[in-house]
Amino acid sequence: MIRVLLVHDACLVRSVLADWLRREPDLGVYDTPWRSAPGRVRSVRPDVCAVDLDCSDAYGLPPLGELGARAGGAGRPRLLVLATASRPGLLKRAIEAGALGYVDKAGSPDRLVRGIRRVAEGERFVDDSLGFGFLKAAEMPLTRRELSVLSLAAEGASVAEIAGSLHLSHGTVRNYMAAITRKTGARNRIDAIRISQGEGWL
Amino acid sequence: MIRVLLVHDACLVRSVLADWLRREPDLGVYDTPWRSAPGRVRSVRPDVCAVDLDCSDAYGLPPLGELGARAGGAGRPRLLVLATASRPGLLKRAIEAGALGYVDKAGSPDRLVRGIRRVAEGERFVDDSLGFGFLKAAEMPLTRRELSVLSLAAEGASVAEIAGSLHLSHGTVRNYMAAITRKTGARNRIDAIRISQGEGWL
């Protein structure tokens, strides 16, 4: 029996997906929204966490690290993500969190079941159709520092506020913003935020 | 037999939801992503379009008008939306498009089936849990003109470019941006975009 914890924010969709997975006799299926996921990992002790990368929160980024897959040791769940090729930044986060399985939401639901079984055996499972997304994730041009600056700007912080919270000078923040605008091929700061959010980097 | 066209962008989720709806003997279920929805409305001639308001496209806004529900005459589908209270701007668009049904994605999937049956009879169906979202939709502070200005700004257009495409003077665009920032309670232009996107107004 494979214990699966399905993590998805919209209850309606999550319930139907979980019911659908329960038709498989070898799967024991639990489900949870993101906010309760870390607690459910501890209580359910799943073999596999199957996680939808799109949070319902407008700019929510999934706290994949909190699921504890990275460590990968005994008793840690293996991580499988439901992803789309159009959000390479989210794919990159899944890679960094040590995900073993990558199922394309644009594909057939049978792939999800096959992915869960493979990942439960500790093997990689990757949908080919996500290939272009991985390419874009690998090309992601911004450094971690530049992303911190841009995230604060996207929250509406001024140059002075960004400088204050990251302990940088105003000039350095302006230099970062100029580099970010250039590297993302944006016309200006707002355009850089738009592009980076669209790609799922922020 | 109620003919239902389910509109949702992620194939995996859509297939499972459609399968789940097909268990109901009185529903004839078809499904489509957004981009093919207007064509499928013409070929399938559904009684009800059940539409997920969250497009997969990062800032995609659902082209509800194209589904033809507004006119409501013979042969036009009735519109039911899957929505969340946290995106009041999308609720407002659904209201403007003449939707009869409003099902909360945070609720139980049985509500979707009940909603479809009610809407097929030409009756309103509204999940109470969306109430706060409707309140916020009613409070939406920006005029249509202000939203046009802000949408262009959010795409990275400069004041000059916005002025050019809306046939306004630079000063007028700046006045609009100042009014938008004030009305949304934002700290600055980027913050106004963030707030408006978060609420689903853009």
Side-chain angles (χ1 to χ4, degrees), chain B residues 118-130:
Chain B
R118 282 277 285 284
V119 165
E121 288 166 7
E123 283 178 48
R124 237 185 224 288
F125 181 89
V126 182
D127 266 336
D128 289 343
S129 48
L130 292 171

Side-chain angles (χ1 to χ4, degrees), chain A residues 32-118:
Chain A
T32 176
W34 266 103
R35 62 177 181 285
S36 341
R40 292 299 299 281
V41 166
R42 287 189 295 274
S43 59
V44 167
R45 301 193 148 271
D47 302 300
V48 177
C49 277
V51 166
D52 192 322
L53 287 182
D54 293 309
C55 285
S56 71
D57 186 4
Y59 299 126
L61 283 175
L64 287 166
E66 291 178 25
L67 300 181
R70 175 80 278 182
R76 298 284 191 169
R78 265 103 182 208
L79 183 61
L80 174 145
V81 296
L82 289 167
T84 55
S86 60
R87 308 285 309 271
L90 293 178
L91 282 175
K92 196 176 169 88
R93 275 164 202 270
I95 296 166
E96 288 170 359
L100 264 185
Y102 299 83
V103 174
D104 189 349
K105 284 169 82 177
S108 142
D110 296 323
R111 299 285 296 168
L112 175 57
V113 177
R114 292 170 60 185
I116 289 171
R117 292 193 183 118
R118 281 276 285 285

Side-chain angles (χ1 to χ4, degrees), chain A residues 59 105 155-156 187-188 197, chain B residues 12 59 155-156 187-188 197:
Chain A
Y59 299 126
K105 284 169 82 177
E155 286 164 17
R187 288 178 287 173
N188 52 46
Q197 284 173 339
Chain B
L12 192 151
Y59 300 126
E155 286 164 17
R187 288 179 288 173
N188 52 46
Q197 285 173 338

Side-chain angles (χ1 to χ4, degrees), chain B residues 1-6 18 21-31 44-50 76-80 100 111-123:
Chain B
M1 189 74 151
I2 304 172
R3 296 165 75 83
V4 181
L5 180 63
L6 178 68
L21 288 174
R22 283 189 190 104
R23 301 187 313 190
E24 304 296 324
D26 59 332
L27 302 184
V29 183
Y30 304 80
D31 65 279
V44 167
R45 301 193 147 272
D47 301 301
V48 177
C49 278
R76 298 284 191 170
R78 265 101 182 209
L79 184 59
L80 174 146
L100 264 186
R111 298 287 294 169
L112 176 57
V113 176
R114 291 170 61 184
I116 288 170
R117 291 194 183 118
R118 282 277 285 284
V119 165
E121 288 166 7
E123 283 178 48

Side-chain angles (χ1 to χ4, degrees), chain B residues 111-167:
Chain B
R111 298 287 294 169
L112 176 57
V113 176
R114 291 170 61 184
I116 288 170
R117 291 194 183 118
R118 282 277 285 284
V119 165
E121 288 166 7
E123 283 178 48
R124 237 185 224 288
F125 181 89
V126 182
D127 266 336
D128 289 343
S129 48
L130 292 171
F132 187 65
F134 288 118
L135 170 65
K136 298 268 285 177
E139 285 176 345
M140 206 274 271
L142 302 182
T143 65
R144 202 167 273 271
R145 191 57 150 179
E146 287 164 345
L147 280 177
S148 312
V149 170
L150 194 62
S151 298
L152 290 171
E155 286 164 17
S158 65
V159 168
E161 287 166 334
I162 297 170
S165 42
L166 298 180
H167 307 288

